[in-house]
Amino acid sequence: MAKKFFIGANWKMNTVPLGWDAADSPYISTGNPNIVVFPSSLDLCRCIEKKLSVGAQCGRPETAGAFTGDIAMQELKKRGCTHVLCGHSERRQHHHETDADIALQVQGALKNGLIPIFCIGENADQREMGETEEVLAEQLLRCASVKGMIIAYEPVWAIGTGKTPTPKEVSETHAFIRSLLKDKKTQILYGGSVTGNNAAGFFAEEEIDGALVGGASLKPEEFRKIVACAKKM
Ligand code: PEP
């Protein structure tokens, strides 16, 4: 049976890309790969109205309250979101989200009927010191027995830099991550400078179930190439 790939388009704090709502939009999910876009909060509703599969870039597990600037996962679900990113490295860096906060988000997402995309990854120093596995194990600790999440392995040094680990290295890291998970069928995505040129190499690896794409997802034709690579597998 063909593997079902997942491709996430993380648009970060950018507006919707050109042609996002065109009849031949590369962001429309046709089944395999399952394509989910992660627009800014302001664009969530219009993407849902145009029938894209939509996830939020962040959300709070609390249902309401004094959390200025935040959005409740319950509301995201009500509006039609299906997924939510939890612990993206930019949230860890700029919003000081901790592993404990992120574990609450993962559990909160599931409780509210959203699929959490739980992001983990080492930074450049940690990789250089040979600490990658230790860092990943620590980040995973609180969620290792969770069922129903997707993991995105995103080495911080590869995000937006044009640098990537080799597909083989990613595959080995995914196998390590999987060894720590209770649910061995959990989808594990790779994220970090995925492009139309390197996607096929990643998707060819048995251990890699898809990609979380940042920069290249803002370029419709580049993103179309990434989707085509998954379709060919
Ligand atoms: C990301 O931010 O999740 C990401 C993978 O970004 P990029 O593809 O630009 O490295």
Side-chain angles (χ1 to χ4, degrees), residues 166-202:
T166 64
K168 190 112 204 69
E169 285 171 329
V170 175
S171 180
E172 284 166 12
T173 306
H174 282 202
F176 171 73
I177 292 168
R178 203 177 296 285
S179 74
L180 301 178
L181 297 174
K182 191 160 179 201
D183 180 2
K184 304 295 178 202
K185 292 208 170 87
T186 303
Q187 277 191 308
I188 307 180
L189 318 177
Y190 168 68
S193 297
V194 173
T195 65
N197 288 334
N198 64 22
F202 291 116

Side-chain angles (χ1 to χ4, degrees), residues 10-229:
N10 178 11
W11 294 340
K12 311 194 185 196
M13 201 177 71
N14 297 288
T15 191
V16 289
L18 215 63
W20 68 280
D21 60 347
D24 69 340
S25 164
Y27 304 104
I28 295 171
S29 192
T30 51
N32 195 5
N34 184 15
I35 299 166
V36 178
V37 299
F38 294 84
S40 84
S41 302
L42 292 175
D43 290 323
L44 288 171
C45 289
R46 63 171 165 155
C47 289
I48 291 165
E49 277 158 23
K50 288 288 178 179
K51 308 281 181 243
L52 300 186
S53 296
V54 179
Q57 294 175 14
C58 59
R60 279 200 86 94
E62 296 87 352
T63 50
F67 301 107
T68 302
D70 286 339
I71 302 181
M73 288 174 171
Q74 189 180 67
E75 286 305 312
L76 293 170
K77 174 69 181 178
K78 270 196 213 158
R79 303 295 163 117
C81 287
T82 52
H83 294 69
V84 61
L85 299 182
C86 299
H88 190 281
S89 64
E90 287 152 15
R91 301 282 311 173
R92 292 178 190 257
Q93 185 188 347
H94 301 300
H95 295 262
H96 312 292
E97 291 182 2
T98 65
D99 290 334
D101 298 329
I102 296 158
L104 290 176
Q105 292 172 21
V106 168
Q107 282 146 14
L110 289 166
K111 199 167 145 221
N112 284 289
L114 295 166
I115 298 173
I117 313 280
F118 176 27
C119 304
I120 56 174
E122 81 286 1
N123 66 30
D125 288 347
Q126 291 162 337
R127 186 174 185 89
E128 215 157 281
M129 302 283 284
E131 294 170 358
T132 298
E133 291 194 350
E134 201 181 309
V135 169
L136 296 176
E138 177 69 26
Q139 291 175 338
L140 271 172
L141 196 63
R142 292 173 177 83
C143 295
S145 56
V146 168
K147 261 188 105 136
M149 65 180 172
I150 295 175
I151 293 208
Y153 168 54
E154 300 206 297
V156 180
W157 55 272
I159 295 181
T161 60
K163 294 184 207 156
T164 67
T166 64
K168 190 112 204 69
E169 285 171 329
V170 175
S171 180
E172 284 166 12
T173 306
H174 282 202
F176 171 73
I177 292 168
R178 203 177 296 285
S179 74
L180 301 178
L181 297 174
K182 191 160 179 201
D183 180 2
K184 304 295 178 202
K185 292 208 170 87
T186 303
Q187 277 191 308
I188 307 180
L189 318 177
Y190 168 68
S193 297
V194 173
T195 65
N197 288 334
N198 64 22
F202 291 116
F203 295 159
E205 293 291 333
E206 187 57 37
E207 276 288 345
I208 302 178
D209 299 311
L212 184 55
V213 187
S217 76
L218 291 163
K219 301 176 194 149
E221 290 321 309
E222 188 72 19
F223 190 70
R224 199 185 297 281
K225 280 193 213 162
I226 296 171
V227 171
C229 289

